[in-house]
Every structure is written in C-alpha cells, then in structure tokens.
C-alpha cells in the first residue's frame, strides 16, 4: 500500500491560529473516506512544547522537531511579531538549524508572512516569492536578494512555495493538492471546504485603493458569459459590448475587480480548462487546443509551458501516471482482506 505524503506544520511562537489550521483542513479534505489517505498532517513546535498564539491563547502539540525528519512537506504558518525570527532572536537559531536539517527534496511552504522565516534562513535568496501585500515592501527591503512578486496569490518555485495573506494559504494548499493529484482531487477538497478551487486574479484586487465610482454594473456577468464560450474567439470589444461598457471603462473595471487585464484572465481560464481536458480525457492535443480556445496545438503548448513549465503531452503523462498509481492503490485496499 502506498505511503501517504507526510505534512509537518511547524508552529512558531506567536503563530496565527487561522492559518495554522489551513494545512490540516485542506490536505485532510483531499483524503477519501475508506481509502488509503493521500496526506497525513501533524503539527510540531521547535521544542515539542506548547506555544502561545497571536490570538492570546496557547496550543499544545504532540511533536517536536523529530517530526521534520520524516516529512515530505514542511509548512510554516505566519506568526507575529515578525521580529521573532530576526537574527539574534531566541527563535532564529533553532529555526535555522531545523530548516537546515531537512532532508534534500523536502518541500518547504510558507503561508503569508512566514516567508520572513524562510528568507531569514537564506532559503529564498535569488528565488521568486510572495508575502502579504501590506508587508511586501518591507520584506523586499530586508531581503533584497529575494525576487518579490507582491501581485500574486502564491508562488510555486518547485521545492519552495510561498503565499500571500490569510486565505491565500487555502489557495496555495489547493494548488499543492492539484499539483500532487490533479484537478479533480483539488476540486473535491475545495467542495468539502466550501471554497473556490481557484480564485481569479492576484493580490492587486485586495490592495488598498480608492473605491471605483459605482456605475450600476460590474464585469462578473461577462466573466460568466465568457467562461461558457472559451472555445470561441473572444475579443476585448466583444467582452466590453456584453458588459455594455466602453472598452476603456470595461478594462479599468475589470482590473479593479479581478486584478488582471481581460486578456490575462482569459488566457488563465483557457489554460485551466485545457489542463482539465488533458487530465480527464483522451482527446488529441489539437482538439484540446480548439476546445479551450487556443486554436492550435502550438499555441496551447506555448501557453501551457509558460503556466506549468511542461508540454501538453508531458502534463497528461504526469497526471495519468498519478491517477493510475492511485487507482492501483485503491484497488489493493478494496481487495486485500486481513
């Protein structure tokens, strides 16, 4: 029987309770009742003892740093104050030693301002990362070697992943489930948690800014309309006309609401639709390209490689292999009896 993916959540002093609970909730929701678990999640602290949360109450855990030695993924939830991990602080040395001791290949995940912890340990130098938009400028000032992108909900840089603030931790954990097991399992986990499997846009839509003047309408209805017509050529003029706005007004309001231009958003939706078709059907790549609105396999290949770093054929092969492995595991669990 396949061994579940082990997730260790490292709670530092001042941990923020909401984000502390995200990994257990999302990864737990990716497990099927009665089937071998895909994930096992456990929480630890630097010394195995209780820690005080940012919310004014303490938590106790069952594990210390010994949990990290067998972890496939280590998640750091955010904490407050941020200076708790600054050089010379009581936590800094223990944290640096703990992260340095991780086996090669261990996936490291920072939710929100926990990116400070990875950065203080040098794990983000020269790499792309994000954090809460409100802290991004200070984060960049303190860590000039990090390639900070304050406009996205999360950054996946292979073995190191970072998210923006608060609920973006949900987005990142769902992304990890999708990366590990495909869109169907991620969508299932999202439904169980009553959250969207994918949120449009980035942090730009949440950054403090003057509220746009009310025009009596928005772009949500047009986005829904476009999602039903991804296979069709959709121009900016068509989208604006459906919204009964000028192109200029539509583009401005779209960016205010979504955080992306209409063109960027449309490409993202088409890539997402193509990924679903590659994972769940045997359609030829040319047909997948047409049904997702890219027109040609070459165009799909270029956009999928930009989004996921792989070709359509490689993407399909990867997820089909994972589906096959999970199927074999499930069949074994159903047929083997004590």
């Amino acid at each position: 029987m396949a061994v579940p993916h082990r997730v260790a959540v490292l709670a530092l002093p001042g941990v923020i309770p909401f984000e502390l609970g995200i990994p257990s909730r999302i990864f737990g929701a990716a497990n099927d009742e009665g089937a071998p678990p895909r994930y096992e999640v456990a929480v630890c602290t630097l010394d195995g003892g209780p820690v005080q949360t940012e919310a004014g109450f303490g938590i106790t855990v069952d594990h210390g740093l010994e949990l990290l030695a067998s972890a496939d993924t280590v998640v750091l939830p955010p904490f407050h104050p941020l200076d708790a991990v600054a050089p010379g602080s009581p936590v800094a040395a223990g944290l640096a030693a703990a992260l340095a001791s991780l086996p090669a290949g261990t996936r490291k995940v920072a939710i929100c301002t926990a990116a400070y912890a990875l950065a203080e340990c040098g794990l983000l130098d020269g790499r792309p990362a994000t954090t809460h938009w409100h802290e991004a400028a200070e984060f960049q000032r303190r860590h000039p070697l990090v390639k900070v992108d304050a406009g996205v909900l999360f950054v996946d840089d292979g073995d190191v992943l970072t998210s923006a603030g608060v609920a973006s931790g949900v987005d990142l954990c769902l992304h990890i489930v999708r990366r590990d097991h495909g869109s169907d399992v991620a969508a299932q986990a999202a439904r169980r948690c009553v959250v969207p499997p994918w949120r449009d846009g980035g942090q730009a839509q949440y950054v403090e800014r003057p509220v746009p003047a009310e025009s009596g309408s928005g772009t949500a209805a047009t986005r829904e309309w476009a999602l039903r017509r991804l296979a069709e050529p959709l121009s900016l003029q068509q989208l604006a006309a459906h919204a009964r706005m000028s192109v200029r007004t539509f583009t401005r309001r779209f960016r205010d609401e979504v955080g992306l231009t209409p063109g960027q958003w449309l490409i993202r939706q088409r890539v997402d639709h193509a990924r679903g078709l590659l994972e769940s059907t045997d359609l030829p790549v040319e047909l997948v390209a047409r049904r997702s609105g890219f027109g040609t396999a070459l165009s799909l290949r270029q956009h999928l490689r930009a989004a996921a770093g792989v070709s359509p054929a490689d993407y399909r092969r990867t997820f089909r292999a994972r589906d096959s492995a999970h199927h074999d595991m499930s069949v074994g669990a159903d047929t083997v009896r004590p």
Side-chain angles (χ1 to χ4, degrees):
M1 184 169 59
V3 176
H5 187 98
R6 295 174 295 270
V7 179
V9 182
L10 177 55
L12 297 175
V15 65
I16 300 176
F18 179 86
E19 289 93 323
L20 173 64
I22 288 174
S24 295
R25 195 70 184 92
I26 299 298
F27 293 125
N31 292 332
D32 293 327
E33 186 175 351
R38 296 182 175 97
Y39 297 97
E40 286 184 353
V41 184
V43 181
C44 66
T45 60
L46 289 173
D47 59 5
V51 293
Q52 191 73 8
T53 70
E54 179 265 353
F57 58 86
I59 61 167
T60 58
V61 300
D62 296 329
H63 304 280
L65 292 181
E66 76 282 351
L67 188 68
L68 302 188
S70 60
D72 301 298
T73 294
V74 174
V75 182
L76 279 76
F79 46 86
H80 187 81
L82 295 176
D83 285 341
V85 295
S89 66
V91 172
L95 175 63
L99 295 179
S101 69
L102 293 177
T106 303
R107 186 162 55 189
K108 294 166 281 292
V109 178
I111 297 175
C112 191
T113 51
Y116 273 81
L118 296 185
E120 290 290 359
C121 296
L123 295 175
L124 296 181
D125 288 355
R127 306 185 74 154
T130 192
T131 190
H132 194 294
W133 64 266
H134 192 266
E135 300 291 340
E138 176 64 13
F139 182 76
Q140 185 69 89
R141 187 190 69 79
R142 291 195 195 186
H143 305 286
L145 297 180
V146 181
K147 301 174 183 176
V148 180
D149 185 347
V152 297
L153 295 178
F154 59 82
V155 170
D156 180 344
D157 195 36
D159 63 331
V160 177
L161 300 92
T162 52
S163 86
V166 194
S168 299
V170 174
D171 298 303
L172 179 54
C173 288
L174 284 172
H175 167 75
I176 291 171
V177 173
R178 176 173 184 146
R179 180 173 130 176
D180 290 347
H181 297 287
S183 59
D184 286 348
V185 175
Q188 165 191 286
R191 285 194 298 272
R192 288 174 174 170
C193 295
V194 199
V195 296
W198 182 273
R199 282 197 294 163
D200 297 328
Q203 292 197 76
Q205 59 191 309
Y206 304 107
V207 176
E208 293 172 352
R209 65 178 78 191
V211 177
E214 287 293 332
S215 66
S217 62
T219 65
T222 297
R223 297 200 300 276
E224 288 295 323
W225 176 81
L227 286 173
R228 296 192 297 270
R229 294 166 174 79
L230 290 177
E232 304 172 15
L234 295 172
S235 67
L236 179 57
Q237 289 74 16
Q238 286 176 292
L239 296 172
H242 181 272
R244 296 184 173 85
M245 301 178 192
S246 69
V247 168
R248 182 176 179 180
T249 299
F250 177 77
T251 300
R252 175 177 55 79
R253 288 188 63 81
F254 198 101
R255 287 195 68 115
D256 286 340
E257 294 174 15
V258 178
L260 300 170
T261 67
Q264 290 169 333
W265 177 84
L266 194 56
I267 288 173
R268 179 172 290 182
Q269 305 313 309
R270 284 175 165 157
V271 167
D272 197 42
H273 185 54
R275 289 166 74 158
L277 291 174
L278 290 169
E279 293 172 22
S280 61
T281 75
D282 293 316
L283 293 174
V285 172
E286 283 284 357
L287 189 52
V288 171
R290 289 200 295 273
R291 289 194 178 183
S292 54
F294 289 115
T296 67
L298 176 61
S299 179
L300 170 59
R301 189 174 297 110
Q302 291 172 337
H303 285 98
L304 184 61
R305 189 171 292 281
V310 295
S311 69
D314 288 341
Y315 186 87
R316 171 174 275 165
R317 190 178 304 114
T318 297
F319 281 96
R320 286 302 174 86
R322 288 172 182 164
D323 288 345
S324 176
H326 179 62
H327 173 74
D328 292 343
M329 178 179 68
S330 299
V331 169
D334 289 339
T335 56
V336 175
R337 297 286 185 261

